[in-house]
């Protein structure tokens, strides 16, 4: 550098230093650091809270929202004409359930995989143990309804023999039922509908998934908000004290706020695969802990989402409940024939074919209503959950890191812009607040 350039630089630095507001220069990075911390802290609150919409209805807002850009229509409450807030994750619970199936659960296993993991043979044994004591009352109720005179006239030993024979046939009948369910489970069970419905009714569960899964990483994200804000505040302070334009600090505050949230999300999720940057191994906080995270995620799926109890509810009361009931009835129809054994022909003649068939149908219908009730046994469901937990944990650990990140991030990625916008607004407010405290 020539002496003239050196003199010019020194002269410029002396002039710059003479016009610097040193208190303002020093406090800007501290200010942006605190704002960065507040941005990430409040951003997490916006992500998870409140569970339900808090606000008030604005006349005409629902109609106005329809002509707004699509991104603005996604703001919680706008589509319903409300002005307020609901946590992004609770507000998107049903949507996140759909994405969880498409991106995660569908990759972890088919309905058949989950059903086989639950142990159809053990389920059948549990059903038999639960159902066997009910057989005497069931047979008595049906016979008294369909042919009371015949049933009253039968000697007690004959009645007992029929009941014993039905109980003896029960294990083979129930095993056939559970086997038939297993064969048709992909048609009877829709994990996507099951998960969407459960998440919509239980938004707190969706929040719990993120909290239990990555609370440590989320706390780190808040702490790094101060570091990012402070570091970004250094060039902001230099630029502000160089040009001395009052509006420059609020504008740069917008940039700092947006970039702080952007860096926070990057810190959590990116890069998915380990990379070397300046010789340092770098990987997102979530994918770095995939092994441990898989155990937490598997526990939540096994104990709250895909449980034997909920599968039973869906099979009987879900949108395909009629198909399940039909399958059960078809499997149970031969029960009376088997119970009658070698006397089937004589019994059919004595009762008449029509009445015999009606009794068979009644037995099948009554039994169908009771067969899957043991699915809803919470204790048995918890016992079987260990098998689902092992399956989900194993498959989650086997996911490539990119798929694992996609599984966790895809649910909120479309709404991340709201967090970035929130950071920009807070950065703008922080810039004006600094001007108010340290006017130029």
């Amino acid at each position: 550098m020539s002496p003239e350039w050196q003199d010019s630089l020194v002269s410029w630095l002396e002039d710059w230093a003479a016009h610097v507001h040193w208190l303002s220069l020093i406090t800007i990075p501290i200010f942006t650091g605190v704002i960065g911390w507040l941005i990430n802290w409040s951003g997490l609150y916006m992500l998870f809270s409140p569970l339900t919409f808090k606000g008030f209805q604005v006349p005409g807002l629902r109609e106005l929202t329809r002509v707004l850009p699509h991104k603005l229509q996604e703001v919680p409450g706008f589509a319903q004409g409300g002005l307020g807030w609901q946590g992004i994750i609770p507000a998107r619970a049903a949507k996140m359930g759909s994405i969880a199936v498409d991106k995660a659960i569908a990759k972890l296993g088919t309905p058949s995989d989950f059903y086989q993991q639950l142990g159809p043979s053990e389920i059948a044994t549990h059903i038999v143990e639960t159902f066997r004591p009910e057989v005497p009352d069931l047979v008595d109720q049906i016979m008294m309804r369909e042919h009371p005179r015949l049933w009253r006239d039968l000697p007690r030993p004959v009645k007992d023999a029929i009941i014993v024979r039905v109980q003896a046939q029960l294990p083979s009948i129930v095993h056939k039922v559970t086997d038939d369910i297993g064969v048709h489970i992909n048609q009877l069970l829709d994990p996507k509908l099951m998960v969407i419905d459960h998440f919509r009714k239980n938004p707190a569960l969706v929040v719990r998934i993120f909290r239990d899964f990555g609370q440590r990483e989320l706390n780190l994200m808040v702490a790094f908000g101060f570091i990012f804000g402070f570091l970004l505040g250094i060039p902001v302070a230099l630029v502000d004290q160089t040009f001395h334009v009052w509006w420059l600090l609020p504008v740069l505050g917008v940039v700092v706020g947006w970039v702080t949230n952007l860096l926070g999300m990057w810190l959590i999720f990116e890069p998915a695969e380990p990379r070397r940057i300046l010789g340092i191994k770098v990987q997102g906080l979530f994918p770095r802990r995939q092994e441990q995270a898989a155990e937490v995620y598997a526990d939540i799926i096994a104990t709250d989402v895909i449980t034997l109890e909920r599968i039973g509810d869906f099979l009987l009361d879900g949108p395909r409940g009629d198909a399940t009931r039909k399958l059960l009835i078809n499997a149970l129809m031969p029960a009376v024939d088997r119970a009658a054994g070698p006397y089937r022909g004589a019994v059919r003649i004595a009762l008449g074919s029509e009445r015999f068939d009606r009794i068979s149908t009644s037995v099948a219908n009554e039994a169908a209503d009771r067969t899957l009730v043991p699915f809803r046994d919470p204790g048995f469901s918890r016992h079987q959950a260990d098998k689902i937990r092992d399956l989900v944990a194993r498959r989650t650990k086997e996911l490539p890191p990119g798929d694992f990140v996609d599984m966790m991030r895809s649910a909120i990625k479309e709404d991340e812009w709201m967090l970035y916008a929130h950071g920009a607004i807070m950065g703008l407010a922080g810039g004006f607040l600094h001007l108010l405290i340290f006017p130029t």
Side-chain angles (χ1 to χ4, degrees), residues 42-97:
S42 57
L44 285 184
Y45 180 85
M46 289 176 61
L47 202 59
F48 299 118
S49 302
L51 289 177
T52 57
F53 179 78
K54 303 294 183 184
F56 53 89
Q57 294 297 117
V58 178
L61 181 58
R62 186 199 301 267
E63 292 72 21
L64 176 62
T65 301
R66 294 172 185 164
V67 300
L68 291 176
H70 179 68
K71 286 291 185 184
L72 292 179
Q73 293 180 24
E74 294 176 347
V75 175
F78 270 24
Q80 292 75 40
L83 192 60
W85 189 254
Q86 180 182 10
I88 292 174
I89 288 177
R92 302 290 184 264
K95 177 181 175 182
M96 290 176 67

Side-chain angles (χ1 to χ4, degrees), residues 94-378:
K95 177 181 175 182
M96 290 176 67
S98 174
I99 295 174
V101 175
D102 292 340
K103 298 288 185 181
I105 296 174
K107 293 180 180 179
L108 299 178
T110 65
S112 180
D113 290 333
F114 288 115
Y115 182 72
Q116 293 302 322
Q117 199 71 17
L118 287 168
S121 181
E122 291 183 41
I123 293 171
T125 301
H126 182 65
I127 291 173
V128 171
E129 291 172 354
T130 306
F131 195 14
R132 193 189 298 275
E134 299 180 10
V135 169
D137 287 340
L138 176 64
V139 173
D140 188 65
Q141 289 172 14
I142 293 171
M143 292 304 297
M144 286 300 294
R145 184 175 66 236
E146 298 296 339
H147 208 308
R149 182 177 177 182
L150 172 65
W151 189 245
R152 279 195 301 266
D153 292 343
L154 281 176
R156 171 51 58 183
V158 176
K159 290 181 180 180
D160 291 343
I162 292 173
I163 290 170
V164 168
R165 186 165 182 82
V166 171
Q167 289 175 324
Q169 295 291 330
L170 193 60
S172 62
I173 293 171
V174 171
H175 276 278
K176 183 179 186 307
V177 167
T178 55
D179 289 345
D180 285 354
I181 289 174
V183 170
H184 298 92
I185 193 69
N186 287 331
Q187 291 77 48
L188 298 175
L189 187 67
D190 188 333
K192 189 166 187 173
L193 285 178
M194 190 171 74
V195 173
I196 288 173
D197 183 63
H198 193 61
F199 279 6
R200 187 182 69 250
K201 293 177 180 176
N202 301 276
L205 176 62
V206 186
V207 171
R208 185 186 146 208
I209 289 176
F210 279 86
R211 290 287 194 188
D212 288 5
F213 183 84
Q215 187 61 54
R216 191 178 78 173
E217 284 69 27
L218 296 173
N219 292 340
L220 269 176
M221 176 181 170
V222 173
F224 270 98
F226 179 85
I227 297 172
F228 292 151
F230 183 86
L231 294 176
L232 290 170
I234 294 173
V236 167
L238 295 175
V239 170
D240 177 71
Q241 291 302 306
T242 298
F243 294 98
H244 298 286
V245 181
W246 72 268
W247 50 262
L248 194 57
L249 190 58
V251 170
L252 293 175
V254 170
V255 176
V256 170
W258 186 283
V259 172
T260 297
N261 260 342
L262 190 67
L263 288 173
M265 296 303 291
W266 186 88
L267 177 74
I268 293 291
F269 295 111
E270 302 293 341
E273 301 278 355
R275 293 181 187 172
R276 291 279 176 184
I277 299 178
L278 300 177
I280 301 173
K281 183 181 177 181
V282 178
Q283 188 179 15
L285 293 175
F286 269 9
R288 186 185 302 172
R289 294 184 61 236
Q290 182 172 345
E291 290 279 322
Q292 300 92 328
E295 297 291 343
V296 176
Y297 185 73
D299 184 65
I300 291 171
I301 294 297
T303 57
D304 287 284
V305 182
I306 301 180
T307 66
L308 184 61
E309 188 178 0
R310 295 203 62 248
I311 288 173
D313 286 340
F314 189 90
L315 288 175
L316 285 176
D317 302 325
R320 298 171 187 176
D322 289 343
T324 304
R325 195 171 300 278
K326 184 177 179 182
L327 181 147
L328 292 174
I329 290 172
N330 289 339
L332 292 165
M333 279 292 284
V336 173
D337 282 358
R338 293 184 185 182
Y343 307 106
R344 184 174 68 86
V347 172
R348 181 178 283 276
I349 292 172
L351 295 177
S353 294
E354 184 179 341
R355 177 161 286 175
F356 184 87
D357 290 340
R358 192 163 68 239
I359 292 174
S360 296
T361 302
S362 294
V363 170
N365 277 290
E366 292 282 350
D369 288 333
R370 305 185 189 199
T371 300
L372 293 190
V373 170
F375 271 58
R376 293 166 169 169
D377 180 345

